[in-house]
Amino acid sequence: MSEIRAVITGIGGYVPDYALTNKELETMVDTNDDWITSRTGIKERRILKGKDQGTSVMATKAVEELLRKTRTSPEQIDLIICATTTPDMIFPATANLVADNIGAKHSFGFDLQAACSGFLYGLVTGAQFIEAGTYRKVVVIGADKMSSIIDYQDRTTCIIFGDGAGAVLLEPTQEPYGLRDSHLRSDGSGAPHLHLKAGGSRRPATVETVTAREHFVYQEGAAVFKYAVKHMADVSADIMKRNQLHAEDIDWLVPHQANKRIIDATAERMGIGYDKVMYTIHKYGNTTSGTIPLCLWDYESKLKKGDNLIMAAFGGGFTWGATYVIWGYDGKAS
Ligand SMILES: CC(C)(COP(=O)(O)OP(=O)(O)OC[C@H]1O[C@@H](n2cnc3c(N)ncnc32)[C@H](O)[C@@H]1OP(=O)(O)O)[C@@H](O)C(=O)NCCC(=O)NCCS
């Protein structure tokens, strides 16, 4: 009997209605549309507005759509993994809040934090439970409300990030589809270049930390850019090589959307044309854990059963990785 693999059987997504455009950012910080577009490829990003609206609001909407499209009842779900860097609260896990919102009464769940690589880490973790035969329906969410940790007085970061959520359903298959290979990496020595200074156990919130604006993303953009280009391209090329995949075998690169120049460099290293690359950065910016599932959500109607996908990410930690996935269904699940 052939081995059990985890296949993606559906995708749901959600982005808030409010679009923060480059033009509006020009009124907030010293920047301009030309600079942002040429350096990042971003034109606008979505922002979740409203009091007490956390990441779980977006994650819940994404999962509700996923369940509708896959005709899955919440009681059938075994496990919910929520990849996020902006949980509603430090505890309990956002995955549990989502489970309660949707009525997933027989599931367990947990959050997973790997910054912009979170969705890939979640996908690979969820797949292990399917491949081991432990569970049959695993929901993997990538969701972040980045606007909650962005300093809208800092022009080097506020132009990049946005809010959004995507979710996939993983189920077992013995057909030749699903997650075929993954290569995940991390390197904690990258922490000084990209982190949140306060709010954790090392530096809990105080009046001083708030006054010093330490609860916002700190990023050394140029250093992060250098590592991101190298690692995302290297790991993508590596996963192609070890699966004997050539450029012409790849149907889609599904890259984390941090900067269009990083995405283009990865495609060039893989030797594939830009027409095989999923881009959502112009309209959603960097939604951290949300970027890869939101790409799948946006391009779902173009995907065909048997398509070879390379998903690749790089983020804070540093964390990075790539997965090789054979897509399991045609077009849009209704
Ligand atoms: C952040 C990023 C877009 C900045 O682009 P860059 O080309 O590296 O720009 P630099 O940081 O070198 O800054 C160049 C100049 O532009 C200025 N600048 C920065 N942000 C600006 C903005 N929004 N508008 C106008 N000018 C800006 C800088 O102050 C600097 O000016 P100076 O030369 O007078 O000092 C880019 O570094 C990047 O994308 N980094 C990686 C992000 C990433 O992948 N993060 C990982 C999380 S997933």
Side-chain angles (χ1 to χ4, degrees):
M1 214 161 71
S2 55
E3 59 187 308
I4 298 171
R5 292 185 189 281
V7 65
I8 295 174
T9 54
I11 173 103
Y14 176 78
V15 288
D17 292 334
Y18 189 84
L20 173 59
T21 62
N22 290 352
K23 280 278 160 225
E24 187 177 349
L25 279 169
E26 285 178 12
T27 68
M28 298 160 66
V29 288
D30 180 15
T31 191
N32 60 75
D33 178 44
D34 267 2
W35 193 96
I36 302 172
T37 307
S38 62
R39 298 289 179 117
T40 69
I42 303 169
K43 291 302 245 183
E44 58 184 46
R45 61 296 284 146
R46 300 300 180 94
I47 304 294
L48 184 65
K49 298 270 189 182
K51 195 168 180 291
D52 295 339
Q53 302 289 293
T55 294
S56 68
V57 170
M58 299 183 292
T60 299
K61 287 190 193 321
V63 176
E64 283 170 348
E65 187 192 71
L66 172 69
L67 298 187
R68 211 167 41 244
K69 283 166 70 177
T70 56
R71 295 180 181 81
T72 305
S73 81
E75 288 85 4
Q76 290 176 289
I77 299 170
D78 299 307
L79 166 61
I80 299 177
I81 300 173
C82 184
T84 185
T85 302
T86 51
D88 281 36
M89 297 171 261
I90 286 185
F91 76 91
T94 300
N96 296 341
L97 304 178
V98 174
D100 186 48
N101 289 345
I102 62 169
K105 295 190 186 323
H106 306 303
S107 69
F108 79 106
F110 57 88
D111 287 0
L112 187 156
Q113 198 286 102
C116 296
S117 309
F119 179 76
L120 286 194
Y121 277 45
L123 190 71
V124 173
T125 304
Q128 308 298 312
F129 288 100
I130 301 270
E131 289 165 9
T134 319
Y135 300 119
R136 298 190 60 82
K137 288 191 193 288
V138 175
V139 171
V140 181
I141 304 166
D144 270 301
K145 184 186 171 186
M146 292 306 290
S147 61
S148 65
I149 54 167
I150 292 301
D151 184 351
Y152 287 93
Q153 294 180 12
D154 176 6
R155 68 177 182 171
T156 69
T157 51
C158 73
I159 56 150
I160 297 173
F161 294 95
D163 304 338
V168 299
L169 182 63
L170 289 177
E171 294 185 84
T173 184
Q174 286 176 290
E175 293 185 71
Y177 305 111
L179 181 66
R180 306 293 292 205
D181 193 15
S182 63
H183 188 181
L184 302 179
R185 296 289 312 278
S186 61
D187 178 359
S189 71
H193 301 298
L194 181 53
H195 59 271
L196 207 65
K197 290 192 187 304
S201 55
R202 186 189 294 185
R203 220 167 142 66
T206 60
V207 171
E208 287 72 32
T209 63
V210 172
T211 308
R213 309 185 79 76
E214 291 183 358
H215 295 270
F216 297 123
V217 169
Y218 171 82
Q219 174 170 268
E220 292 163 4
V224 175
F225 185 89
K226 206 173 68 191
Y227 283 104
V229 167
K230 176 170 170 31
H231 287 319
M232 218 163 104
D234 279 356
V235 80
S236 303
D238 169 68
I239 207 153
M240 284 173 69
K241 191 168 169 212
R242 69 191 207 188
N243 288 281
Q244 286 98 46
L245 292 167
H246 303 285
E248 59 274 19
D249 301 319
I250 306 297
D251 296 290
W252 293 103
L253 167 64
V254 194
H256 170 55
Q257 312 276 309
N259 186 314
K260 186 170 182 296
R261 291 183 290 146
I262 300 174
I263 300 171
D264 291 349
T266 303
E268 278 158 28
R269 174 74 181 280
M270 293 166 71
I272 63 168
Y274 300 145
D275 56 326
K276 290 183 170 185
V277 181
M278 295 189 186
Y279 293 99
T280 56
I281 188 159
H282 53 291
K283 54 182 180 178
Y284 302 148
N286 182 351
T287 54
T288 301
S289 304
T291 59
I292 290 179
L294 283 173
C295 278
L296 296 173
W297 183 59
D298 239 57
Y299 281 75
E300 188 185 23
S301 60
K302 293 187 164 63
L303 290 166
K304 293 191 291 298
K305 196 170 183 171
D307 278 354
N308 285 323
L309 273 57
I310 300 292
M311 303 180 187
F314 179 87
F318 293 133
T319 57
W320 68 101
T323 61
Y324 167 35
V325 167
I326 305 184
W327 197 247
Y329 61 93
D330 284 323
K332 213 168 198 123
S334 49

